[in-house]
Amino acid sequence: MASPRTFTRDEVAQHNKVDDLWVVIDSVVYDLSRFVPAHPGGEHVLVEIAGKDATEEFYSLHRHSVLQKYSKFAIGSIQGEKQKIMQAEEGAMSKVPYAESSFWMGSKTPYYNESHVAFRKAVRKFVDAELRPHAQEFEDNGGKIALELYQKMGRFGLLASRIGPGIHLKFVPNLPAGVKPDQFDYFHEQIAHEEIARLGSPGFADGLGAGFVIGLPPVLAFGSKDMIQKVVPQVLLGDKRICLAITEPYVGSDVANIRCTATKTPDGKFYIVNGVKKWITNGHFSDYFVTAVRTGGPGHSGVSMLLIERSDGLETKQMKTSYSSAAGTAYITYDNVKVPVENLIGKEGGGFPVIMFNFNHERWLIIAAVIRGSRLVTEEAFKWAAQRKVFGKPLIEQPVIRFKLAKMIAEVESVQNWLENITYNMTKMSYKEQSLHLAGPIALLKYQSTRVAHDVSDDAVQILGGRAITKTGLGSVVEAFQRTYKYGSILGGSEEIMADLGVRMAMKAFPKDARL
């Protein structure tokens, strides 16, 4: 906050030397005399604007948040003027056109009710207040996200909100905005995924539990009562972390050919696990590993699932991938790991149905995050086009830029509406019905949403230019997106597999008597 002192612009103009340097940014006066030697861009940049209004220059180089960081240099304001550029409050909806999906910008919809409005507001405020302050640091520098932050999410009810409606909601003391477990539906969950994706820090966001949202559902659906009672509360409250360990260096989508083995001891009380897993999100810092193992012969029928606790013989190594190491992507080795037979999830030889059980849900949540990321990048490009001056006028005055924005907006809005249609059907269908009727549409939407992400990334980079390939500053959100959006096109099933699955599911319902 600027002090209550006021100055005329003529008074500011007198402070125009390197050792006595004032500037005006959005009617606020800043004394940068002590800051000149520390300015990352050198003193010449500041001397050029000394004693002048530097609003346009500032916003061509920096995000608004920089003013908050250096607010201590504000000494007053220009007499008779008011600030025109205001930062949105925590939890507030953006006013930039298409920065939010249609309902949140005033349109009517049958999908959302008052509990969804309150839920989004509460989650957004929590994300902005508790998670965003750490996002850029972890995205840039990586490292293990503090357990305390995870526990905050757990106690707030955000972790439980990310794996759908169900009995697990009763394991936590409350849900955001006081939503009751019997009120909670898939639209609440969709909102939770969207708000975390809105951080614009993909590696950090995935570090906040991308492994948990696919690792805990198999335990809930197929684990024993004792296993559920022990593991679920620990994970939902943020005291322990869990991941899903299926992929191997030799096996991706071809799950039936995994090589990691689990052999029973002669007394039948333990499995001895040997093998490796690769690209396991959150694996580097997880306490529990829901692991696909081979307990029998080749093919689907020889696959089982085990809950394996971090113990002797289990080692995790951080992998370097396109996004931040904060995601904890790991290479895991199992060297004679001893696992009680009680840790079997489902039946021996029945691991394949356990693996397949959560695929639709996993793909759906990836879709929600990818679309929200695409929307965020569209907002960033829209803002930049409006504030950037080129050849003496705003960049958005160029027809080619408006065309790119139109394409971005139209594509994002189309997949958002498809997503909401699918989510609505999820609220009305049993799991069996979802498997029958939604597997194909979800697969096709995942394919389409990642294609949209590709297009949005490409256009946003062209709009922001060099800033879009620079990790810091005005283009940081777009840079992170263009470097990592392909994760969505691979994880949970590649684009090619999704497209093929969608059509194959449609072929099953194709009428035999249909002709042109």
Side-chain angles (χ1 to χ4, degrees):
M1 288 290 291
S3 73
R5 295 174 62 192
T6 60
F7 306 92
T8 65
R9 288 186 177 269
D10 288 340
E11 286 178 293
V12 172
Q14 297 173 21
H15 300 270
N16 58 7
K17 301 179 180 62
V18 68
D19 57 350
D20 180 21
L21 197 157
W22 291 12
V23 298
V24 179
I25 301 174
D26 192 26
S27 298
V28 177
V29 180
Y30 295 85
D31 182 353
L32 302 182
S33 306
R34 292 178 294 124
F35 180 64
V36 172
H39 184 241
E43 69 176 43
H44 178 73
V45 175
L46 295 180
V47 171
E48 278 192 327
I49 57 172
K52 303 175 183 177
D53 190 310
T55 304
E56 187 173 317
E57 288 86 348
F58 176 85
Y59 283 105
S60 71
L61 297 170
H62 302 291
R63 287 181 171 272
H64 187 84
S65 57
V66 173
L67 291 180
Q68 297 170 314
K69 182 178 179 180
Y70 294 104
S71 60
K72 62 183 178 181
F73 295 115
I75 59 172
S77 60
I78 296 298
Q79 185 176 329
E81 295 184 10
K82 292 183 179 181
Q83 288 180 261
K84 297 177 181 178
I85 303 168
M86 302 301 293
Q87 186 76 340
E89 296 180 3
E90 289 179 355
M93 296 292 117
S94 175
K95 295 181 180 179
V96 175
Y98 302 104
E100 312 282 356
S101 53
S102 60
F103 172 73
W104 311 95
M105 303 220 69
S107 295
K108 306 300 180 184
T109 176
Y111 298 140
Y112 300 102
N113 57 42
E114 290 182 3
S115 76
H116 298 118
V117 173
F119 184 84
R120 188 184 289 278
K121 184 175 182 180
V123 171
R124 180 166 293 195
K125 191 170 184 178
F126 176 88
V127 169
D128 285 351
E130 302 293 345
L131 304 183
R132 190 173 298 282
H134 308 281
Q136 199 59 51
E137 176 189 350
F138 276 102
E139 192 68 21
D140 292 341
N141 303 322
K144 181 179 178 180
I145 298 170
L147 185 64
E148 291 75 18
L149 195 59
Y150 210 63
Q151 289 171 327
K152 280 186 179 180
M153 293 172 65
R155 270 60 174 178
F156 180 64
L158 186 53
L159 293 178
S161 299
R162 295 167 65 191
I163 54 174
I167 60 169
H168 65 279
L169 298 175
K170 296 179 180 178
F171 283 98
V172 294
N174 55 264
L175 295 172
V179 174
K180 303 300 181 186
D182 58 357
Q183 289 180 296
F184 191 91
D185 63 21
Y186 286 109
F187 279 108
H188 292 99
E189 184 192 355
Q190 179 185 309
I191 289 167
H193 296 307
E194 289 173 340
E195 290 305 312
I196 290 176
R198 181 178 158 270
L199 282 167
S201 303
F204 175 67
D206 276 3
L208 295 173
F212 141 76
V213 296
I214 56 177
L216 193 61
V219 174
L220 279 164
F222 297 95
S224 67
K225 185 177 180 180
D226 288 344
M227 184 188 295
I228 291 171
Q229 290 294 331
K230 175 186 176 182
V231 175
V232 174
Q234 292 177 334
V235 173
L236 291 184
L237 291 174
D239 297 327
K240 297 282 187 179
R241 303 189 227 204
I242 193 170
C243 66
L244 183 67
I246 296 176
T247 304
E248 298 177 357
Y250 348 89
V251 175
S253 299
D254 190 10
V255 176
N257 287 319
I258 63 164
R259 300 186 189 180
C260 186
T261 61
T263 306
K264 273 187 181 176
T265 55
D267 60 9
K269 293 182 178 180
F270 298 93
Y271 289 102
I272 304 301
V273 179
N274 285 283
V276 296
K277 298 292 179 181
K278 194 173 184 181
W279 298 293
I280 306 305
T281 307
N282 296 174
H284 192 50
F285 46 68
S286 282
D287 304 288
Y288 295 112
F289 302 79
V290 176
T291 306
V293 295
R294 184 161 300 284
T295 53
H300 297 163
S301 61
V303 177
S304 300
M305 294 293 286
L306 292 176
L307 176 72
I308 303 178
E309 295 189 50
R310 187 178 285 273
S311 55
D312 292 341
L314 191 157
E315 292 188 6
T316 59
K317 297 177 182 178
Q318 181 79 56
M319 291 181 62
K320 293 182 178 180
T321 66
S322 298
Y323 68 1
S324 172
S325 64
T329 307
Y331 183 88
I332 306 173
T333 58
Y334 303 82
D335 188 6
N336 292 321
V337 180
K338 196 174 183 180
V339 182
V341 294
E342 290 79 12
N343 283 29
L344 181 68
I345 301 174
K347 298 177 181 179
E348 187 170 299
F352 194 71
V354 176
I355 294 169
M356 298 302 292
F357 166 80
N358 199 49
F359 260 146
N360 280 343
H361 183 261
E362 177 185 358
R363 291 163 182 163
W364 170 81
L365 67 88
I366 291 172
I367 291 165
V370 166
I371 294 173
R372 191 58 183 86
S374 298
R375 186 179 294 280
L376 176 65
V377 167
T378 300
E379 179 186 9
E380 293 278 306
F382 207 158
K383 285 179 177 178
W384 177 246
Q387 73 188 58
R388 170 67 163 162
K389 294 288 182 66
V390 181
F391 305 117
K393 58 184 179 180
L395 181 61
I396 203 167
E397 291 296 316
Q398 302 292 334
V400 67
I401 298 300
R402 294 198 299 272
F403 176 79
K404 287 182 180 296
L405 287 170
K407 181 167 167 281
M408 294 163 75
I409 292 166
E411 289 190 315
V412 170
E413 288 298 311
S414 67
V415 288
Q416 178 75 39
N417 279 277
W418 195 357
L419 170 63
E420 290 178 348
N421 175 267
I422 286 176
T423 304
Y424 176 76
N425 278 277
M426 289 169 64
T427 68
K428 302 297 181 182
M429 291 183 182
S430 66
Y431 170 75
K432 185 176 181 180
E433 289 175 310
Q434 289 181 35
S435 300
L436 181 63
H437 298 292
L438 297 183
I442 287 174
L444 291 173
L445 178 55
K446 184 174 183 294
Y447 162 76
Q448 183 64 9
S449 64
T450 54
R451 285 290 83 203
V452 166
H454 174 84
D455 293 344
V456 166
S457 173
D458 188 56
D459 285 331
V461 169
Q462 296 308 114
I463 291 172
L464 273 85
R467 289 168 177 81
I469 53 173
T470 304
K471 285 191 173 184
T472 57
L474 288 161
S476 60
V477 171
V478 175
E479 189 280 330
F481 188 79
Q482 63 88 13
R483 179 167 35 87
T484 61
Y485 76 88
K486 290 298 289 183
Y487 278 72
S489 68
I490 297 170
L491 303 181
S494 69
E495 285 185 347
E496 293 77 11
I497 296 291
M498 293 296 93
D500 182 62
L501 174 61
V503 175
R504 283 193 291 109
M505 293 297 290
M507 288 168 62
K508 289 182 179 181
F510 196 89
K512 294 181 180 180
D513 58 350
R515 298 291 187 276
L516 289 177

